[in-house]
Amino acid sequence: NAGVTQTPKFQVLKTGQSMTLQCAQDMNHEYMSWYRQDPGMGLRLIHYSVGAGITDQGEVPNGYNVSRSTTEDFPLRLLSAAPSQTSVYFCASSDSGDSYNEQFFGPGTRLTVL
Amino acid sequence: GEDVEQSLFLSVREGDSSVINCTYTDSSSTYLYWYKQEPGAGLQLLTYIFSNMDMKQDQRLTVLLNKKDKHLSLRIADTQTGDSAIYFCAEGSNGGSQGNLIFGKGTKLSVKP
């Protein structure tokens, strides 16, 4: 199994550009989520999904959209990039939404918005 | 609201024990976790403890939970240079939060040879 994969690894955008961060998992996990990690901060939840067709907002959803058309994929869209969205983005998945299930993290996407 | 606090830095010598502390506020937390993040990598689950336990030991790792004080600690025995990383404490609850974890800011552990 590849686990959780994320592309791209690095990205530089100009303010106002849009882009999609890709996340895929091959473990047939129902639960997927996106976090952002900023220097000196923990991880903050952006959006999550408990299954195909179902998404919900986390702590910091503004400026981001998600969709979950398949179990495997959970892309994160930046609609109009802003410098405040410069961060490292992590996708995670787990077997279910119950917290006793280990969350598996992808390697991250480092995004810089100029 | 929910909050998880950790000290930001810890420096130890190789072979010593490391103790990383964490406090949390949500008394309904069911599970408490320790994640490790090596440079340039994602987070990896190290260990977790269920809220009705006081202690859990796993090889060099010992987790202590004081539920009354909402205090969690991670002890790494015989710390090695390969243990240098950022360690995140996280709390989670079953049910309505749908598995969302609340993370601390992370403790950067530096191990000096």
Side-chain angles (χ1 to χ4, degrees):
Chain A
N1 286 351
V4 180
T5 57
Q6 292 183 237
T7 56
K9 284 188 167 45
F10 302 93
Q11 183 70 50
V12 179
L13 292 178
K14 293 182 180 175
T15 296
Q17 286 184 312
S18 62
M19 80 157 294
T20 299
L21 279 62
Q22 302 291 344
C23 173
Q25 52 90 10
D26 60 359
M27 297 173 281
N28 203 31
H29 284 168
E30 289 295 325
Y31 183 86
M32 296 185 74
S33 53
W34 276 102
Y35 294 87
R36 60 177 288 173
Q37 182 182 27
D38 300 297
M41 302 284 286
L43 275 72
R44 292 182 292 169
L45 183 69
I46 304 171
H47 285 284
Y48 65 95
S49 168
V50 300
I54 308 169
T55 64
D56 207 345
Q57 295 181 350
E59 183 187 351
V60 288
N62 291 342
Y64 307 95
N65 270 358
V66 291
S67 60
R68 185 94 180 271
S69 54
T70 67
T71 300
E72 294 78 19
D73 300 300
F74 190 44
L76 178 73
R77 292 185 199 82
L78 277 70
L79 308 171
S80 177
S84 61
Q85 292 179 304
T86 293
S87 188
V88 181
Y89 291 85
F90 289 101
C91 179
S93 74
S94 64
D95 208 14
S96 78
D98 294 326
S99 66
Y100 57 80
N101 284 298
E102 177 181 355
Q103 289 201 26
F104 293 83
F105 284 80
T109 294
R110 292 181 178 273
L111 175 69
T112 302
V113 183
L114 303 175
Chain B
E2 300 164 340
D3 202 6
V4 178
E5 299 282 346
Q6 302 177 239
S7 53
L8 294 182
F9 301 100
L10 177 66
S11 181
V12 301
R13 293 212 172 273
E14 194 172 19
D16 287 350
S17 292
S18 307
V19 179
I20 303 171
N21 294 301
C22 169
T23 57
Y24 61 98
T25 56
D26 186 359
S27 58
S28 67
S29 292
T30 310
Y31 292 87
L32 294 132
Y33 301 83
W34 286 104
Y35 279 83
K36 177 182 180 183
Q37 184 182 32
E38 295 183 353
L43 277 69
Q44 183 178 16
L45 181 66
L46 265 186
T47 187
Y48 67 91
I49 188 167
F50 188 45
S51 59
N52 69 352
M53 298 169 65
D54 297 326
M55 185 181 86
K56 181 178 180 182
Q57 187 149 4
D58 183 3
Q59 299 182 336
R60 292 191 297 122
L61 305 178
T62 303
V63 179
L64 296 178
L65 175 61
N66 181 328
K67 198 172 179 184
K68 174 176 168 287
D69 294 337
K70 299 190 183 70
H71 182 265
L72 182 74
S73 68
L74 173 70
R75 179 176 180 269
I76 306 172
D78 187 25
T79 313
Q80 302 298 307
T81 53
D83 295 324
S84 293
I86 301 176
Y87 292 81
F88 290 93
C89 170
E91 61 174 345
S93 306
N94 284 340
S97 66
Q98 290 295 318
N100 297 340
L101 299 181
I102 307 295
F103 286 87
K105 291 181 171 56
T107 299
K108 184 173 183 178
L109 174 64
S110 297
V111 182
K112 295 181 176 15

